[in-house]
Amino acid sequence: MCGIVAALAKRNVVPVLLEGLNKLEYRGYDSAGLAYLTEDNSLARLRSVGRVAELAAQAAGKGAAQGIAHTRWATHGVPSERNAHPHISAGLAVVHNGIIENYAEIKQELTGLGYVFTSDTDTEVIAHLVHHLLQSTPDLFEAVRKATARFIGAYAIAVIHEGEQRIVVARHGAPLLLGIGTDGNYAASDASALLQVTRKMVYLEDGDIAEIRQDQVRIVRPDGSAVTRPVHESSLSADAVELGNFRHYMQKEIFEQPQALANTLEMVGGSQTIQPQIFGADASALFARAKSVLILACGTSFHSGLVARYWIEQLVGIPCSVEVASEYRYRMSVHDPEQLVVAISQSGETADTLAAVRYAKERGQHMTLAICNVAESAIVRECALRFLTRAGPEIGVASTKAFTTQLAGLALLTLALAKQQGKLSVQDEQNHLNALRHLPVAVQKVLALEPEIEAWAQHFANKHHALFLGRGHHYPIAMEGALKLKEISYIHAEAYAAGELKHGPLALVDRDMPVISVAPNDMLLEKLKSNLQEVKARGGQLYVFADGDSEVPESEGVHIIRLPEHYGLLSPVLHVVPLQLLSYHVALVKGTDVDKPRNLAKSVTVE
Ligand code: F6R
């Protein structure tokens, strides 16, 4: 989704703004722009459709001590130069992430006052409204504060004004942080954009309005009262977002999974028991009280929740439902204060998941837990309990290491819940913890299958459709495999619980429809084999990921790749890895933009 960088420093900030935009490219965007104050303090603006590199070419040789920059992911108005940010009103420029929901009403009012709109965006109302307010409130900071009181929706904004040595920023519902440097001060929608200049970050809260000067920052609340926010030392390493020897971030992130899992599971490294406190100080009490679990998430994170449902119901013996956040937030569901609400999110900023948690809380559900990859994110701050997956920054739009580390966190949650509810024997606790500790090594072995998977990828290059099959807790893995394939290779893919095949989708099967099946050696294997026979009998081409001991024979039209031996409850963590690799290699063969697939954004901070 859109990205913001702002800088005011004792140096030329144009390269800083451009480098910041480069670091935010992973969020997904279609155009980019920047505005800066020239030596004589007048406003200049550069914009381009396409890559940040094109903007950088326009900006070559430009210098400024103060500026704002933006990558846009179109919501209101097509991707075009006239819709790219910054938007200007006389000598004032604005960049914006999010959506101003009541922009039409404000636009009408401003048009009546004589303002002329030159774009189709909601953002342009911000520029004109602040400009209009400056006529009666000749102070930029106050004018922005008054303007934000008018906005309904989610936003993070940064504003500069001709002749002023300051940048004013504000946030409500979209991420924004300040970077405190030695030669100046900065702001961005994501810490990775500012690591080039500082590690000292101040995370703004919803409603905060901040003024950035070269030697200081100040923050106020919407009523104008001053507030201080803690300065965090970012532990992100600049290397974590470098590509290194890999061709794509997605490939790098797939191969980082053993380390990401080891980091996530570090707190149970040497221990024979699971401590509920790893989820927060109040976790023991809340887990003992929970009569059921409700998991809220979107996309890939939703799929990890679906796996957890099987685990929780099997080991804890309490009902667990999993709901797409965008549906739940508008549904009159039956609320239950004794239910543990678990929000799963890589970014922690997904608008629908955040709104769903808030909705649950409004309805009296206060036992909330965030499973998230970003420590200071909105979803983490919204929840009573938290578990941080330690996957490191995930740059590829297609989520991989975030998914497997979410599964690791959810496995720990299952054990902690089972323990607090008296459902876990000491022996079982030790066995499960041992299996978790060996998970990074087991994933490493699966990664070694890459050459075989790469060879399969050629078979998919000319296909337009694919079916994914799984059963039990591998059905969500089939769903995740289908999502990965469609989002980066643009091949239409559907996942089915294998038992459903004969109830409709079998009609689609022919030589042109590859069927990919996840076939672990579990209690459903024999049933699954019958389902695969149904495909084979119709001439379908089967691509089966079987466990070493699954005894699914290779034959005409049945291709097999064998994983190491069956890994019990944690088997879904292993079985998703070859599906990630398959979609990656199919995308390579097809030549798509693997890390930035068309139409998609990394962090979906709008509804
Ligand atoms: C798919 C993918 C998305 C995200 C979804 C939720 O590869 O990455 O489906 O999983 O947008 O994002 P988070 O987890 O940040 O809430």
Side-chain angles (χ1 to χ4, degrees):
M1 212 106 298
C2 308
I4 288 179
V5 192
L8 202 179
K10 259 193 268 171
R11 63 157 99 180
N12 178 9
V13 299
V14 173
V16 175
L17 296 173
L18 290 167
E19 176 58 13
L21 293 187
N22 276 327
K23 289 288 185 275
L24 297 179
E25 281 194 298
Y26 77 92
R27 294 165 70 95
Y29 69 104
D30 45 58
S31 50
L34 64 85
Y36 57 94
L37 296 191
T38 60
E39 263 178 20
D40 64 355
N41 260 327
S42 58
L43 189 66
R45 171 173 68 172
L46 304 170
R47 296 185 291 178
S48 76
V49 176
R51 295 291 170 225
V52 171
E54 284 156 41
L55 184 71
Q58 283 187 45
K62 308 273 192 253
Q66 176 180 352
I68 55 178
H70 191 262
T71 45
R72 173 173 189 255
W73 188 79
T75 57
H76 294 64
V78 296
S80 66
E81 192 173 317
R82 67 190 281 275
N83 286 333
H85 300 208
H87 288 285
I88 284 183
S89 187
L92 182 143
V94 175
V95 290
H96 163 226
N97 291 355
I99 293 176
I100 305 297
E101 288 172 10
N102 58 337
Y103 83 101
E105 168 199 321
I106 302 175
K107 183 170 178 177
Q108 195 179 20
E109 199 179 305
L110 290 165
T111 307
L113 291 168
Y115 283 94
V116 177
F117 283 76
T118 58
S119 77
D120 310 313
T121 65
D122 52 338
T123 304
E124 200 178 349
V125 300
I126 305 175
H128 293 317
L129 182 62
V130 174
H131 181 268
H132 169 61
L133 291 167
L134 268 176
Q135 314 313 307
S136 54
T137 313
D139 174 60
L140 183 65
F141 191 64
E142 275 305 295
V144 171
R145 189 176 71 82
K146 286 189 177 163
T148 57
R150 291 286 314 274
F151 301 144
I152 297 173
Y155 56 81
I157 59 174
V159 186
I160 56 172
H161 189 214
E162 264 177 12
E164 301 221 30
Q165 305 298 309
R166 58 176 165 169
I167 302 172
V168 180
V169 301
R171 78 156 278 186
H172 181 86
L176 195 67
L177 52 92
L178 307 181
I180 310 299
T182 47
D183 64 346
N185 291 309
Y186 305 85
S189 43
D190 184 324
S192 61
L194 298 185
L195 287 175
Q196 49 164 333
V197 283
T198 184
R199 299 194 154 273
K200 291 190 166 36
M201 310 288 174
V202 174
Y203 292 89
L204 297 179
E205 298 281 341
D206 275 355
D208 283 354
I209 303 139
E211 179 182 70
I212 299 171
R213 291 188 181 268
Q214 193 204 293
D215 53 355
Q216 62 179 35
V217 297
R218 74 179 167 110
I219 306 170
V220 303
R221 297 297 297 152
D223 64 3
S225 57
V227 67
T228 44
R229 302 274 174 231
V231 179
H232 294 265
E233 189 79 22
S234 174
S235 58
L236 279 182
S237 87
D239 290 354
V241 284
E242 299 298 341
L243 198 46
N245 291 331
F246 291 93
R247 253 176 104 177
H248 295 96
Y249 283 107
M250 183 183 181
Q251 185 191 26
K252 176 177 186 243
E253 288 156 7
I254 290 172
F255 279 86
E256 279 173 352
Q257 288 179 109
Q259 191 57 51
L261 284 163
N263 293 345
T264 302
L265 293 164
E266 197 182 76
M267 61 275 283
V268 292
S271 122
Q272 290 302 306
T273 60
I274 173 113
Q275 303 300 326
Q277 289 77 2
I278 59 177
F279 295 89
D282 298 332
S284 308
L286 296 193
F287 288 178
R289 243 176 74 193
K291 300 262 184 305
S292 63
V293 177
L294 168 65
I295 297 179
L296 301 170
C298 305
T300 287
S301 299
F302 171 70
H303 295 155
S304 72
L306 289 175
V307 174
R309 180 173 64 169
Y310 287 87
W311 290 344
I312 290 171
E313 296 206 345
Q314 182 176 334
L315 290 192
V316 192
I318 58 175
C320 175
S321 48
V322 190
E323 193 148 339
V324 168
S326 55
E327 283 298 308
Y328 172 80
R329 63 182 288 194
Y330 293 114
R331 199 165 75 76
M332 287 304 290
S333 55
V334 179
H335 59 281
D336 174 4
E338 300 296 293
Q339 186 172 53
L340 178 69
V341 178
V342 182
I344 309 175
S345 174
Q346 186 284 127
S347 60
E349 302 291 346
T350 301
D352 283 320
T353 309
L354 180 60
V357 175
R358 289 184 174 152
Y359 178 63
K361 284 169 70 179
E362 273 163 29
R363 306 186 80 214
Q365 304 208 199
H366 294 290
M367 304 203 320
T368 51
L369 162 68
I371 295 192
C372 189
N373 197 36
V374 181
E376 291 300 326
S377 59
I379 291 173
V380 168
R381 281 181 279 144
E382 197 67 40
C383 290
L385 303 174
R386 64 181 62 182
F387 178 86
L388 292 178
T389 52
R390 293 175 59 198
E394 193 180 61
I395 309 290
V397 163
S399 193
T400 52
K401 61 178 180 172
F403 179 74
T404 42
T405 53
Q406 283 167 358
L407 288 177
L410 288 161
L412 291 174
L413 172 66
T414 306
L415 296 182
L417 274 170
K419 184 170 175 170
Q420 287 310 105
Q421 305 226 348
K423 307 277 179 51
L424 192 66
S425 72
V426 172
Q427 190 56 55
D428 283 350
E429 184 175 3
Q430 287 183 7
N431 293 345
H432 287 304
L433 286 175
N434 282 337
L436 273 167
R437 274 191 288 269
H438 287 108
L439 200 49
V441 174
V443 170
Q444 194 71 56
K445 287 187 189 157
V446 177
L447 287 169
L449 299 171
E450 189 184 25
E452 289 174 63
I453 297 166
E454 190 177 350
W456 274 11
Q458 305 294 334
H459 302 200
F460 291 79
N462 300 321
K463 302 292 182 209
H464 298 291
H465 308 276
L467 276 182
F468 283 72
L469 302 179
R471 293 198 75 137
H473 58 183
H474 292 86
Y475 169 39
I477 296 304
M479 294 168 82
E480 176 58 9
L483 178 63
K484 288 285 92 87
L485 189 69
K486 72 183 112 179
E487 68 183 323
I488 62 165
S489 74
Y490 315 147
I491 293 174
H492 170 226
E494 297 279 350
Y496 279 92
E500 270 290 288
L501 204 55
K502 55 190 170 299
H503 299 290
L506 198 55
L508 294 170
V509 170
D510 63 13
R511 283 197 66 79
D512 288 328
M513 171 72 89
V515 178
I516 299 119
S517 177
V518 184
N521 189 11
D522 61 13
M523 57 179 276
L524 289 169
L525 181 63
E526 290 310 315
K527 307 261 177 224
L528 182 75
K529 282 183 185 167
S530 313
N531 303 140
L532 299 186
Q533 284 306 324
E534 293 160 6
V535 173
K536 196 177 168 203
R538 271 96 191 156
Q541 293 291 305
L542 273 165
Y543 295 86
V544 183
F545 290 99
D547 287 339
D549 47 5
S550 278
E551 289 175 10
V552 183
E554 194 138 11
S555 62
E556 171 71 28
V558 182
H559 314 270
I560 313 264
I561 287 182
R562 294 189 196 281
L563 276 67
E565 79 283 16
H566 184 55
Y567 210 75
L569 270 191
L570 295 172
S571 167
V573 186
L574 301 193
H575 268 276
V576 76
V577 174
L579 301 186
Q580 297 168 341
L581 283 168
L582 181 64
S583 61
Y584 173 69
H585 283 287
V586 174
L588 278 192
V589 175
K590 293 200 70 180
T592 58
D593 193 346
V594 173
D595 285 331
K596 299 183 209 82
R598 67 185 183 201
N599 308 339
L600 297 180
K602 180 66 183 164
S603 179
V604 188
T605 50
V606 294
E607 234 193 295

